[in-house]
Amino acid sequence: MARLIPNENTWVGFATALTLAAPEEGEIAAAVDLTPFLISLNAATTGNALPTPAFDALFETSVPGTVTAQFTADFYRDDATGGDDAWDTLPRATKGYFIISRFGGTGAGNLPETGDEIEVWPVTVTSRSMHNAASNQVLAFTVTCSVPVEPVEAIDVVADTP
């Protein structure tokens, strides 16, 4: 059995427009590819359980409760020709969709294409904070986002609508 590591397998992009219920290949291709700048990613949902005790039993049952989502990511700053893509794409108050392909897509550079499974996280950037600068360290920043709509954690990319 082989363990999976994210390096060279993960693709992360950001789009300001996307069909959440059925993301199309063209929408994914138009997203800003943030993978080369990504240091770490925390995109997670957490559910809770509500106790449903009964007086006639010693075992306390439960039912599913609400679900919350959190999204934070760390990125490198970059002065490459063409711009500082992650920094320029993610200012505070930006609304859009993080697209995550944890196992890589079948397209060039792991870009997700028709039939590939992705996650879509609708977000609003609530903060963009620079890491402390220090000698001999690469500049980096953290983006924290609110998640106003339930993310889709497993959906296939569909072909573009003609």
Side-chain angles (χ1 to χ4, degrees):
M1 168 173 44
R3 303 290 191 246
L4 296 173
I5 62 171
N7 303 53
E8 298 183 354
N9 292 317
T10 302
W11 184 90
V12 175
F14 188 82
T16 53
L18 189 83
T19 308
L20 186 60
E24 296 183 1
E25 187 173 321
E27 294 174 320
I28 306 300
V32 177
D33 182 1
L34 298 177
T35 312
F37 309 97
L38 186 66
I39 300 169
S40 67
L41 176 68
N42 179 15
T45 55
T46 305
N48 62 16
L50 303 173
T52 54
F55 283 118
D56 63 349
L58 292 176
F59 181 76
E60 188 172 286
T61 59
S62 62
V63 295
T66 58
V67 175
T68 61
Q70 61 182 17
F71 192 100
T72 57
D74 295 308
F75 297 95
Y76 290 117
R77 296 289 313 265
D78 195 16
D79 67 353
T81 304
D84 192 355
D85 290 354
W87 180 261
D88 294 341
T89 300
L90 301 169
R92 191 167 50 85
T94 299
K95 295 179 180 183
Y97 304 87
F98 271 99
I99 304 153
I100 304 168
S101 177
R102 294 191 189 263
F103 303 106
T106 54
N110 288 329
L111 179 70
E113 294 183 326
T114 300
D116 291 336
E117 184 179 274
I118 60 171
E119 299 173 23
V120 179
W121 289 75
V123 299
T124 301
V125 177
T126 56
S127 69
R128 180 180 70 175
S129 307
M130 286 295 297
H131 293 189
N132 291 334
S135 177
N136 204 35
Q137 288 187 346
V138 176
L139 288 177
F141 66 99
T142 298
V143 170
T144 303
C145 300
S146 65
V147 184
V149 177
E150 186 173 355
V152 179
E153 296 178 272
I155 192 166
D156 288 342
V157 176
V158 298
D160 294 333
T161 304

